[in-house]
Amino acid sequence: METSKNKKLLQDKKIAIIGGGPGGLTLARLLQLKGVNVKVYERDINKDARVQGANVDLHFDSGLKVIEAAGLMESFKANYMKGADKFRMIDKDGNICSDEHNQGTDIDFGNENFRPEIDRGVLRSVLIDSLLPDTVIWNSQLVSMDQVNDGWELTFKNGTRTVADIVIGADGYRSKIRPYVTDIKELYSGATFIQGEIEYPEKDCPEMYELVNKANLIAMSVGKTIAVQPSGDGSRLTFYTASMYPENWIKNSGIDFNSNEEVYAYLVKFYEGWNPIFFTLFKACTSFVPRPINYFPLDQNWNTKPNITLIGDAAHLMPPSGEGVNTAMVDALDLSECLTSEAFNDIQTAIETYEKGMWTRAVVLGKEAMEGIKDFASPTEESVNKFVQQFNQI
Ligand SMILES: Cc1cc2nc3c(=O)[nH]c(=O)nc-3n(C[C@H](O)[C@H](O)[C@H](O)COP(=O)(O)OP(=O)(O)OC[C@H]3O[C@@H](n4cnc5c(N)ncnc54)[C@H](O)[C@@H]3O)c2cc1C
């Protein structure tokens, strides 16, 4: 049978996925469901080494479809954040312009507009818990690789080495694997975010905590935006300030982003004229991370390699548009299907088919993300009104 021929081909192979983000872990799960020998090498020291950031919403025909294919829908339903998909939009004076909290909570996994939110750390746990024991090798930051025979020898920062027949780069946008696949570099979108984490918002910025109300809050005025999201249990907040800045602004700004006082002083000045309630958010913040928003060129492609490829941000970084995690998961599904398909006689053709589909999907989403980023980070009066109308229609 063709299946057994191809399955045998993969069964002899050891697959190394570099990076245990949503893309890499989903791929590991899907391949293990087909009996493939796979390990995930993750830089984090352990599962709880760092807060994974705010929540993400999964979409009907992408993230949720993959969750279903991975046999994890029950687990997802037990862990997602009910009601957190609601949006509240306020203006710079703190007035509410648009509010979904007045509407009831529609929970309908059969409705293509239902986009349930899940805490990133919780999603990671759902995926990790679905894997065979010791699939994820923690504290394994890949630093380099060498081609040996038909495979790869991987070297990690902790001094260990391993060999694999096929390597999948799922290690995000600063991917160490990507240069082995292509030399196409990222470009700067023009937008920069400053991300802030608040550990005790209920105590340290109670008014903002109430406004967020365990869902999405977005504040916009001409040229600047602030978006706030709760953690899975609602106890913490993550916020992003967004605007357009020149390239290398982070380095050239003279701001020490490790100094909360310096960043606070900058933000208070930058948001001068906004309701002081926003400053309580900045004051309560325990750590700031500046994030230049980069992307890989939309028309990118490369010659497929025989035993290495990329998924998720490592393959097609794009500005945030609510699609990144969803797309990484679709990559995982498509690649797992190609690698275990009866249709291909060799791994390279399977990878080539996956990559062609991946580029096609990424161009469409990347275009939308590029069109949306300026409106989001540096809205005009017209785009603020557009957002208000959009939210009112949801
Ligand atoms: C500010 C912001 C907000 C966003 N909001 C959303 C949103 O609301 N919804 C959405 O869908 N997407 C959102 N995104 C995009 C989303 O975060 C990414 O698209 C998504 O996380 C990509 O998943 P991934 O698995 O490809 O990579 P990542 O999530 O980046 O995971 C990569 C993993 O690889 C590990 N790693 C990195 N280097 C190495 C190495 N050398 N060796 C071993 N391991 C390594 C990392 O520790 C990490 O665990 C947002 C992005 C940003 C910047």
Side-chain angles (χ1 to χ4, degrees):
M1 265 197 330
E2 274 299 294
T3 313
S4 60
K5 184 179 116 197
N6 283 290
K7 212 173 155 202
K8 226 175 176 179
L9 197 71
L10 261 195
Q11 269 177 347
D12 291 341
K13 305 290 184 199
K14 189 178 161 198
I15 303 205
I17 297 171
I18 311 303
L25 293 170
T26 304
L27 179 62
R29 163 71 176 174
L30 292 164
L31 288 175
Q32 279 188 349
L33 285 177
K34 305 227 175 158
V36 175
N37 176 6
V38 59
K39 294 282 181 204
V40 178
Y41 296 91
E42 167 55 46
R43 172 178 66 182
D44 287 348
I45 289 171
N46 58 44
K47 188 166 163 275
D48 306 312
R50 77 189 153 93
V51 176
Q52 295 293 309
N55 41 311
V56 289
D57 56 325
L58 295 196
H59 305 173
F60 182 77
D61 52 5
S62 51
L64 288 175
K65 184 178 91 175
V66 180
I67 287 284
E68 186 75 57
L72 295 173
M73 191 49 95
E74 285 317 306
S75 181
F76 180 86
K77 284 181 178 172
N79 285 286
Y80 81 100
M81 298 158 65
K82 292 177 190 65
D85 53 321
K86 289 182 184 302
F87 273 87
R88 173 174 280 165
M89 195 170 166
I90 56 178
D91 63 18
K92 72 183 181 51
D93 299 319
N95 301 317
I96 296 176
C97 322
S98 173
D99 197 359
E100 291 183 330
H101 288 270
N102 302 326
Q103 301 159 14
T105 301
D106 287 332
I107 297 176
D108 182 359
F109 279 83
N111 179 343
E112 61 182 39
N113 295 319
F114 180 50
R115 295 184 160 187
E117 303 260 354
I118 187 164
D119 183 288
R120 279 174 192 258
V122 173
L123 176 62
R124 199 187 210 195
S125 296
V126 165
L127 291 165
I128 290 169
D129 293 348
S130 75
L131 299 173
L132 294 171
D134 301 323
T135 299
V136 182
I137 317 291
W138 298 102
N139 190 22
S140 299
Q141 179 173 352
L142 184 114
V143 285
S144 64
M145 302 200 299
D146 293 293
Q147 252 175 318
V148 284
N149 305 320
D150 290 335
W152 294 94
E153 184 178 50
L154 315 177
T155 303
F156 299 98
K157 196 175 176 189
N158 63 12
T160 59
R161 285 170 189 216
T162 192
V163 288
D165 299 295
I166 301 172
V167 172
I168 317 289
D171 50 342
Y173 97 93
R174 290 207 172 106
S175 171
K176 277 273 187 260
I177 305 298
R178 187 172 164 97
Y180 295 87
V181 176
T182 174
D183 56 8
I184 301 170
K185 302 267 188 310
E186 75 264 28
L187 303 170
Y188 177 54
S189 71
T192 293
F193 292 4
I194 299 174
Q195 180 177 337
E197 301 293 335
I198 300 173
E199 277 178 48
Y200 307 107
E202 198 170 0
K203 174 169 74 68
D204 294 341
C205 51
E207 273 183 276
M208 278 310 283
Y209 179 77
E210 240 175 70
L211 262 177
V212 171
N213 196 15
K214 300 192 175 165
N216 294 289
L217 181 76
I218 185 161
M220 281 186 160
S221 178
V222 173
K224 343 184 156 165
T225 292
I226 299 175
V228 197
Q229 289 186 314
S231 59
D233 61 3
S235 67
R236 284 180 291 107
L237 293 181
T238 299
F239 70 82
Y240 304 100
T241 67
S243 198
M244 303 304 273
Y245 294 88
E247 193 160 13
N248 300 321
W249 171 76
I250 292 165
K251 206 168 76 193
N252 299 335
S253 66
I255 300 166
D256 175 2
F257 283 90
N258 292 316
S259 159
N260 288 358
E261 290 73 31
E262 273 191 41
V263 185
Y264 173 75
Y266 167 74
L267 288 175
V268 167
K269 197 153 176 240
F270 189 68
Y271 285 93
E272 198 177 346
W274 284 46
N275 189 316
I277 189 179
F278 294 104
F279 306 161
T280 65
L281 193 65
F282 307 148
K283 191 78 193 168
C285 182
T286 42
S287 65
F288 293 99
V289 182
R291 293 193 183 281
I293 302 300
N294 293 335
Y295 67 102
F296 290 127
L298 299 181
D299 59 352
Q300 65 168 348
N301 59 61
W302 53 79
N303 291 328
T304 298
K305 310 287 180 294
N307 53 10
I308 181 168
T309 189
L310 306 167
I311 63 170
D313 280 5
H316 47 60
L317 177 72
M318 54 186 80
S321 62
E323 296 289 351
V325 169
N326 289 278
T327 318
M329 294 173 80
V330 173
D331 289 348
L333 180 61
D334 283 0
L335 181 58
S336 72
E337 284 178 345
C338 285
L339 287 174
T340 57
S341 162
E342 295 176 29
F344 309 110
N345 290 321
D346 60 83
I347 299 293
Q348 186 164 2
T349 314
I351 292 178
E352 189 178 16
T353 305
Y354 153 73
E355 288 181 343
K356 281 189 177 146
M358 177 267 287
W359 290 323
T360 307
R361 278 186 290 106
V363 167
V364 177
L365 296 171
K367 252 190 196 155
E368 284 171 14
M370 285 303 293
E371 281 162 16
I373 188 65
K374 189 155 186 275
D375 270 352
F376 175 79
S378 187
T380 57
E381 211 155 304
E382 197 187 348
S383 38
V384 173
N385 291 335
K386 201 171 86 188
F387 272 102
V388 174
Q389 274 168 14
Q390 250 175 32
F391 289 133
N392 280 332
Q393 275 163 15
I394 293 173

